[in-house]
Amino acid sequence: MGEVSKNVSLKQFNTFGIEVQTNSFVEVNSIDKLKEVLKNNQSEILILGGGSNILFTKDFAGLIIKNNIKGIDVVDENDNEITLKVGSGEVWHDFVIYCVNRNYGGIENLSLIPGTVGACPIQNIGAYGVEVKDVIESVEAIDIKELTTISFSNKICEFDYRSSIFKTSAKGKYVITSVIFNLSKNPKINTSYGAIEDELKKTGVLKPSIIDVSNAVINIRKSKLPNPNEIGNAGSFFKNPTVSFAKKIQLLSEYPSMPNYLQKDGSFKLAAGWLIETCGLKGLQKGNCGIHKNQALVLVNYGGSSGNEILKLSEEIIEKVKSKFGVELEREVNII
Ligand code: FAD
Ligand code: EPU
C-alpha cells in the first residue's frame, strides 16, 4: 500500500470545509486497487466520494479511501432505452450532463447535485420531483470483509425517501463500485415541481427538451442554494418530516399557510425549512456557523467552524422545532 499518506487534512475533501485530519488516506482508481487496499488494512474505514453529505466532528483515526473509480459503459441498448454501467467515482453532475447531451432521459431533474455516482443510491438522491431510484437497475459493490462482488437489484436496495439499505442494515459493509442505470431514449419531461414550470416560462421555453429542464433546475438551484465553494455546507441538513393526518390538521388550525404534501401511505410531509424559518431562525449566525439566509434547511460554515459547533446548532434547531410544533427533525447529513 505504497500510496497511503499519513495525517492528511480533510478540509478540501468535505464541502462543509471542516478542518480535521485523518490518520491515513488513500485514493483508489480501480477495483483491483480497492481490493488490495482493503486486504492490507486493519483499521476503521471510511469511503469518501465528494464529501458533500458528511459532517466531520473529530479527527478520523482510521483509513479514508477516496473513491476515484471511473468509466461509463453501455451494457444494453434498444430504440427506446439504454442501460449504462457507471464507475462510482464519476462526478454525479458530469454524468447528468453526459446523459442530457445524448438525450438519455431520467436524471435531468437531478442536475447540479454535488457528489459522486457511487453515493447516489446511498440516500436515494432526489430533487425537483425525481428520485434516482426510478432509474437505478442495480448497484455493484465489494463486501469490505469478504472482498467478494455483490450485485444489489433495485428491489434489494430498499429505496425510500433519502434512504436505502446502504444507510440501514448494509451500512458500512460495502464499497459501491458501480451503478447500473436504465435511461430513456424517448424522454418524458417532468415539470411537476412548480418552480420548473415558472423558470421555463421566465426563459420563454414552450416545448422543453431535457436540456431545457436541466438548465431550469440549474438556475433554480443556483438562486436558492449556497455554493459550497463559497460557503461551506452539505445541502439540506435535515430530512423533511412526515406527520399523521390528525397532526397536520392540528398544525394547520394554528398555521393555515403551512406547506404540506400528501404521501402515498396517507401521511403528510412537512417542509423542514418552513418549520425552522417559522421558529425565527432563518439567517441566524452563531459563532462561525449558522442557518442560511435563503434556505433555512441548509446549515453553513462561514469559515473556521468546527463540526461540533454545527452539530450543536443542529441540536438547538431540533429542540426549538420540537417545542414549537411537536415535530421531531431527523438529520440527513452523515455525522462522523
Ligand atoms: P459523501 O459525502 O462523500 O459520502 C456520503 C456517505 O456515503 C458517507 O457515509 C460515505 O462513507 C458513503 N459513501 C460515499 N461513497 C461511497 C461508496 N462508493 N461506497 C460506499 N459508501 C460510500 N442531496 C439530495 O438528495 N438532493 C439534493 O438536492 C441535494 N442537494 C445538495 C446541495 C448541496 C449544495 C450540497 C452540498 C449537497 C446536496 N445534497 C443533495 C447532498 C449530497 O450531494 C448527496 O447526498 C450526494 O449523493 C453525496 O455524494 P458524495 O459523493 O459527496 O458523498
Ligand atoms: N421553505 C420555507 N423556508 C425556507 C425553505 C423552504 O418556507 O427557508 C418552504 C418553501 O417555501 C416551500 C417548501 O419549504 O414551500 C419546500 O422548499 P424547497 O422547494 O426549497 O425544498 P426543500 O423541501 O427545502 C427539498 C430537498 C432538497 C431538494 C429540494 C428540491 C430534502 C431534505 N431536501 O428541499 O434536497 O433539492 O427539495 O426538490 O428533501 C438535499 O437533500 O440536500 C437537498 C438540497
Side-chain angles (χ1 to χ4, degrees), residues 123 126-129 161-162 193 221 224-225 234-236 238-240 259 261 271 273-274 277 282 294-297 332:
Q123 72 157 8
Y128 299 98
Y161 166 63
R162 294 298 188 273
Y193 210 93
R221 294 183 68 98
K224 277 195 179 180
L225 292 164
S236 299
F238 303 99
K239 295 183 190 178
N240 285 327
Y261 314 93
W274 183 91
E277 180 173 350
K282 195 167 176 172
N294 299 335
Q295 225 312 351
L297 202 41
E332 177 194 296

Side-chain angles (χ1 to χ4, degrees), residues 11-56:
K11 188 169 179 182
Q12 58 159 316
F13 296 109
N14 71 99
T15 60
F16 257 125
I18 304 293
E19 177 64 280
V20 282
Q21 285 211 341
T22 175
N23 181 286
S24 313
F25 182 94
V26 67
E27 197 159 326
V28 296
N29 51 19
S30 70
I31 293 178
D32 285 346
K33 172 74 187 169
L34 170 67
K35 283 187 176 167
E36 184 198 323
V37 166
L38 292 174
K39 204 165 90 190
N40 292 318
N41 174 64
Q42 307 293 333
S43 54
E44 191 191 348
I45 283 176
L46 179 75
I47 316 300
L48 199 57
S52 65
N53 206 21
I54 274 192
L55 179 66
F56 286 106

Side-chain angles (χ1 to χ4, degrees), residues 139-143 148-152 166 174-178:
V139 172
E140 263 182 34
I142 302 284
D143 182 315
T148 46
T149 303
I150 303 201
S151 173
F152 293 79
F166 304 106
Y174 301 94
V175 182
I176 294 172
T177 49
S178 60

Side-chain angles (χ1 to χ4, degrees), residues 105-110 127-131 134 187-197 200 208-210 212-214 216-217 220:
I107 53 175
E108 55 281 359
N109 294 48
L110 304 177
Y128 299 98
V130 170
E131 287 184 328
D134 298 334
K188 285 199 194 72
I189 302 297
N190 179 346
T191 55
S192 58
Y193 210 93
I196 301 183
E197 287 282 356
L200 289 170
S209 65
I210 59 173
D212 297 319
V213 172
S214 171
V217 168
I220 300 166

Side-chain angles (χ1 to χ4, degrees), residues 10 19 26 40 47 49 51 65 69 87 89 119 126 148 166 175 186 209 228 244 258 260 275 281 285 303 317 321 329:
L10 293 176
E19 177 64 280
V26 67
N40 292 318
I47 316 300
I65 302 180
I69 299 171
T148 46
F166 304 106
V175 182
N186 307 303
S209 65
S244 66
M258 179 187 74
N260 65 91
L275 297 171
L281 297 171
Q285 180 159 2
I317 295 168
V321 168
L329 291 185

Side-chain angles (χ1 to χ4, degrees), residues 178-335:
S178 60
V179 181
I180 292 90
F181 297 91
N182 233 324
L183 300 164
S184 170
K185 286 188 176 176
N186 307 303
K188 285 199 194 72
I189 302 297
N190 179 346
T191 55
S192 58
Y193 210 93
I196 301 183
E197 287 282 356
D198 297 344
E199 182 64 29
L200 289 170
K201 264 189 210 138
K202 221 167 52 184
T203 42
V205 178
L206 297 174
K207 271 197 96 198
S209 65
I210 59 173
I211 295 184
D212 297 319
V213 172
S214 171
N215 286 335
V217 168
I218 289 171
N219 287 343
I220 300 166
R221 294 183 68 98
K222 280 186 174 164
S223 73
K224 277 195 179 180
L225 292 164
N227 178 348
N229 294 328
E230 289 157 15
I231 310 176
N233 76 90
S236 299
F237 199 88
F238 303 99
K239 295 183 190 178
N240 285 327
T242 45
V243 295
S244 66
F245 176 73
K247 180 71 184 173
K248 178 203 79 156
I249 294 294
Q250 179 231 316
L251 288 171
L252 275 180
S253 69
E254 212 177 327
Y255 307 97
S257 64
M258 179 187 74
N260 65 91
Y261 314 93
L262 176 63
Q263 303 299 291
K264 278 190 191 130
D265 65 0
S267 66
F268 290 82
K269 193 174 271 182
L270 306 183
W274 183 91
L275 297 171
I276 298 167
E277 180 173 350
T278 308
C279 286
L281 297 171
K282 195 167 176 172
L284 174 88
Q285 180 159 2
K286 239 188 162 185
N288 297 317
C289 63
I291 300 169
H292 193 249
K293 61 179 183 356
N294 299 335
Q295 225 312 351
L297 202 41
V298 178
L299 302 193
V300 291
N301 174 11
Y302 288 109
S305 180
S306 72
N308 274 317
E309 271 182 275
I310 294 171
L311 186 63
K312 194 157 166 282
L313 175 62
S314 75
E315 275 159 15
E316 288 170 23
I317 295 168
I318 291 172
E319 268 170 38
K320 288 216 165 117
V321 168
K322 172 98 185 160
S323 82
K324 191 171 177 69
F325 299 102
V327 174
E328 190 102 33
L329 291 185
E330 191 189 328
R331 294 182 186 89
E332 177 194 296
V333 170
N334 299 281
I335 313 290

